[in-house]
Amino acid sequence: MNTNSDRRSHTAPIIEINDLTVRYGDKPALNGISFDVYKNEILGIIGPAQSGKTTLLKVINRTLEFTAGTTVEGSVKLDGVDVNTVGDVYGLRRKIGMVLPLPVGLPLSIYDNVAFAPRTAGVRAKSELDEIVERCLQQAALWDEVKDRLNTLGTKLSGGQQQRLTIARALSHQPEILCLDEFSIAVDPITTMRIEDVLKELRAEMTILLVTNLVQQAKRLANRTAFMLNGDLVEIDTTDVIFSDSPGSQATYDYVNGTFG
Amino acid sequence: MSRPNPKQKFALQSIALLTLGVVSVLVWNVLKKTYLSDVQVLSVARVSDPLPNLFGDIYFFLSISFLGVLLGITCAFYLEEWLPETNWVRCLIEGQVSILSGVPSLLYGLLVVTVFLPYSGAFQRTQGFPPAGDLNTASLQVSSFQGDTTLFYIAVLTFVLLVVPRVIKATQEALRSVPIPIRESAYALGANRWQVLTKHVVPLSLPRVVAGACRAMSCALAVSALFIGIYISGYTIQPGQMSGRFALFLGAALLLSIFSSFLSQRYPLASTRHI
Ligand SMILES: Nc1ncnc2c1ncn2[C@@H]1O[C@H](COP(=O)(O)OP(=O)(O)O)[C@@H](O)[C@H]1O
Ligand SMILES: [Mg+2]
């Protein structure tokens, strides 16, 4: 294991994961993994299906607790506070923007989709909401396409537009961390490239956890990349090292070069 | 799953209190009339003037159904949204509900006629078999036997057994049909349980809840209509006296079931997409 040849260790970690073990019933999904995420980096997380990537994201924003029968051991700290004992779980979730693999349009208009999170957080003023909606849709590169029909249902948009809408929505509560779970799975290549450009710009403002099924996407975007396999963190290192001819583990080399997965 | 916070508890309790209040007003109204008027006089009155009774019955029927539906929906929301799946109260109620809602509605009508009415002594008190139109399900009994509170309780009991389980089952199924990713996305945006419920779960499941309630009421109306129909052909002193009531109940049952099918067709199960 080669977990700590990290060039940013001078900045404080924003997420610290320590010996995290997760089980669904008796079935282990994560086997005691530990790593840190640093401020304003894009951390790519790659690995074949079923390796626990989605589970990891759900632990961080505590949506795993909606699945019955799960046990979580170890600690996940966000800004130094353990997420499992945090007092205000709603406030915690607002610090994290989450984009799921398939776009989930809330049954609301485009405007209300983006305004939902600010409203739940107590923003009432119309002008303020207008401003948030415009900013987020601009950031997600969707504003120009929908600015004339903000009141149509979000689910009426095309798949790629809906995924950008979910990104706008994930940005609407000004998160510190943006988590994307295989966002490109239902999106055409051109939209994927547009979203990747969006992410490059967002890097200056927030930390991004990019779970991806496209190995090359991690190579294009990530500062560091983690490779997960069957609930284990095989390796986490700078993207250059992971994609070099001699990463820390043979399994990483094989996966990255398409021998399996 | 965490427990409801005080605000949500308060809202639930006020709903329960409100329901209780309406029930007690209704019971009080019936109790007030107890033994005030002579049964025979009333039944003569109804034969000579069926129209007011007709609407009296429908009014009674609707208010009881409405309460049953309200109770069923509240109960289902509580079970599905607040109690964890392993909670023993939830397991118990769900077990009972799945048994009761599977019993054909016709059997409830037979239960009333063959068990509830004879054992409550209703036939004895009215000297002989009841006047025209009263041998249908107990839902019709109160206005016909105006003075008798046992019959009121029979009606309520039948409704609890017939309507409430069906409503609970339909509502729970409607709530479960709300896609999990929608709930998870709303929670991930920092919404609390109450906001997720009122903004997403209720609007998405409402058509199916209403459809289920209509279906349950349609069952109750249909079985009432059937017994009215049997009674007309068998016992009525003046043939044709009850046909208006029969038509009304049957018509209402048909309308409700058509409306219910329309709703479930118009708002099909939201497709659940997981990865
Ligand atoms: N809701 C669930 N119930 C039971 N097991 C689950 C559930 N979700 C995921 N798992 C299991 O947890 C493991 C990790 O899954 P997941 O986190 O979805 O992996 P990935 O996102 O990398 O494909 C898998 O073995 C999977 O079968
Ligand atoms: Mg996944």
Side-chain angles (χ1 to χ4, degrees), chain A residues 63-115:
Chain A
T63 47
L64 189 69
E65 61 194 56
F66 301 117
T67 311
T70 52
T71 44
V72 178
E73 286 159 20
S75 76
V76 176
K77 285 187 180 157
L78 190 109
D79 292 332
V81 182
D82 193 326
V83 298
N84 285 307
T85 54
V86 69
D88 176 16
V89 63
Y90 307 114
L92 167 81
R93 292 193 184 122
R94 271 186 218 115
K95 286 186 181 176
I96 302 159
M98 183 67 75
V99 177
L100 300 180
L102 292 177
V104 180
L106 294 176
L108 302 167
S109 71
I110 295 172
Y111 184 96
D112 291 337
N113 257 286
V114 184

Side-chain angles (χ1 to χ4, degrees), chain B residues 4-236:
Chain B
N5 69 32
K7 216 164 95 194
Q8 295 156 357
K9 243 186 205 156
F10 176 70
L12 264 184
Q13 278 164 356
S14 14
I15 293 173
L17 273 181
L18 212 74
T19 318
L20 209 71
V22 179
V23 171
S24 13
V25 168
L26 218 91
V27 172
W28 173 245
N29 268 333
V30 175
L31 285 176
K32 256 196 333 202
K33 289 184 198 144
T34 308
Y35 303 120
L36 278 187
S37 29
D38 178 21
V39 173
Q40 292 306 312
V41 173
L42 264 174
S43 60
V44 170
R46 71 175 293 121
V47 171
S48 61
D49 187 11
L51 210 61
N53 271 299
L54 191 112
F55 288 108
D57 285 346
I58 262 291
Y59 166 77
F60 173 77
F61 187 95
L62 287 180
S63 51
I64 292 273
S65 330
F66 184 69
L67 286 179
V69 166
L70 217 63
L71 180 72
I73 291 176
T74 317
C75 199
F77 263 90
Y78 184 67
L79 290 182
E80 192 63 33
E81 299 292 327
W82 269 276
L83 294 183
E85 262 164 64
T86 49
N87 182 289
W88 69 270
V89 178
R90 177 166 170 178
C91 292
L92 186 80
I93 297 184
E94 279 180 353
Q96 300 297 314
V97 161
S98 75
I99 293 170
L100 288 176
S101 62
V103 175
S105 52
L106 185 61
L107 290 189
Y108 287 108
L110 286 172
L111 183 74
V112 169
V113 173
T114 58
V115 181
F116 287 175
L117 288 184
Y119 283 94
S120 67
F123 287 153
Q124 284 78 29
R125 277 204 295 282
T126 51
Q127 295 136 22
F129 62 81
D134 295 334
L135 197 60
N136 48 62
T137 51
S139 58
L140 295 179
Q141 301 296 335
V142 164
S143 60
S144 331
F145 291 86
Q146 290 275 351
D148 206 328
T149 43
T150 28
L151 287 166
F152 174 78
Y153 292 123
I154 289 180
V156 172
L157 186 65
T158 315
F159 261 84
V160 168
L161 290 175
L162 187 118
V163 174
V164 175
R166 279 156 210 265
V167 173
I168 290 181
K169 195 160 181 222
T171 308
Q172 276 193 309
E173 271 161 17
L175 291 177
R176 275 180 214 152
S177 77
V178 176
I180 292 169
I182 287 196
R183 291 176 189 253
E184 275 186 2
S185 303
Y187 278 117
L189 290 168
N192 61 31
R193 185 184 285 239
W194 194 243
Q195 289 161 332
V196 173
L197 206 62
T198 52
K199 296 276 169 22
H200 301 298
V201 175
V202 171
L204 277 177
S205 58
L206 196 64
R208 302 187 68 80
V209 172
V210 174
C214 287
R215 213 174 319 120
M217 279 169 70
S218 163
C219 278
L221 278 164
V223 79
S224 302
L226 182 71
F227 278 88
I228 296 169
I230 290 172
Y231 188 43
I232 298 167
S233 57
Y235 296 107
T236 238

